């Protein structure tokens, strides 16, 4: 999308965005044998040039639903990868530090620090502090 926006010779990228998104949604994908709009809405988008001379629809919505059911029934699950078997990085200075910062994951005010603290370390385990 960035390359397509750069191809438009304009200072305001937001002016070109609707046209680009329409082009992406109406572009035929060889691997899907359909456009993204057809996959979502069940029929092709009416492009601005087709308002005066519409193109006929190739298949009915019932045929589309049957084709989608057949396709999704043919899909088989792929084995998942095994996450979490790698060793987690823990900095070597954390074994003997006296204070720690706690990350504040929430909505922050502008210029508010992402960490609270420092807080004294009362109890230490392999990967956690209390």
């Amino acid at each position: 999308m960035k390359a397509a926006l750069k191809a438009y010779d304009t200072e305001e990228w937001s002016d070109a965005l609707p046209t680009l998104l329409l082009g992406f949604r109406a572009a035929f994908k060889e691997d899907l044998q359909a456009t993204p709009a057809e996959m979502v809405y069940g029929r092709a988008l009416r492009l601005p040039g087709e308002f005066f001379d519409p193109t006929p629809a190739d298949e009915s919505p019932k045929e589309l639903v049957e084709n989608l059911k057949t396709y999704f029934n043919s899909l088989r699950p792929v084995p998942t990868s095994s996450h979490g078997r790698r060793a987690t990085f823990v900095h070597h200075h954390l074994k003997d530090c006296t204070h720690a910062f706690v990350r504040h994951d929430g909505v922050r005010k502008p210029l508010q620090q992402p960490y609270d603290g420092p807080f004294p370390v009362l109890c230490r385990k392999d990967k956690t502090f209390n």
Side-chain angles (χ1 to χ4, degrees), residues 6-82:
K6 283 185 177 182
Y8 274 82
D9 191 21
T10 180
E11 291 294 322
E12 295 294 324
W13 62 269
S14 58
D15 293 340
L17 192 59
T19 306
L20 287 175
L21 291 175
L22 178 65
F24 287 144
R25 293 175 184 141
F28 185 79
K29 305 291 182 189
E30 288 292 328
D31 56 342
L32 299 174
Q33 292 296 310
T35 65
E38 288 174 341
M39 298 297 290
V40 174
Y41 301 117
R43 61 185 330 180
L45 289 178
R46 279 183 81 180
L47 298 175
E50 294 178 339
F51 283 117
F52 303 109
D53 186 20
T55 55
D58 291 349
E59 63 182 354
S60 69
K62 184 177 179 181
E63 291 175 9
L64 175 72
V65 170
E66 291 300 322
N67 290 341
L68 285 175
K69 283 182 182 178
T70 305
Y71 174 74
F72 283 112
N73 284 335
S74 69
L75 293 178
R76 296 291 167 242
V78 178
T80 59
S81 60
S82 56

Side-chain angles (χ1 to χ4, degrees), residues 16 23 76 87 89 95 108:
R76 296 291 167 242
F89 173 75
K95 289 186 276 184
R108 296 189 310 255

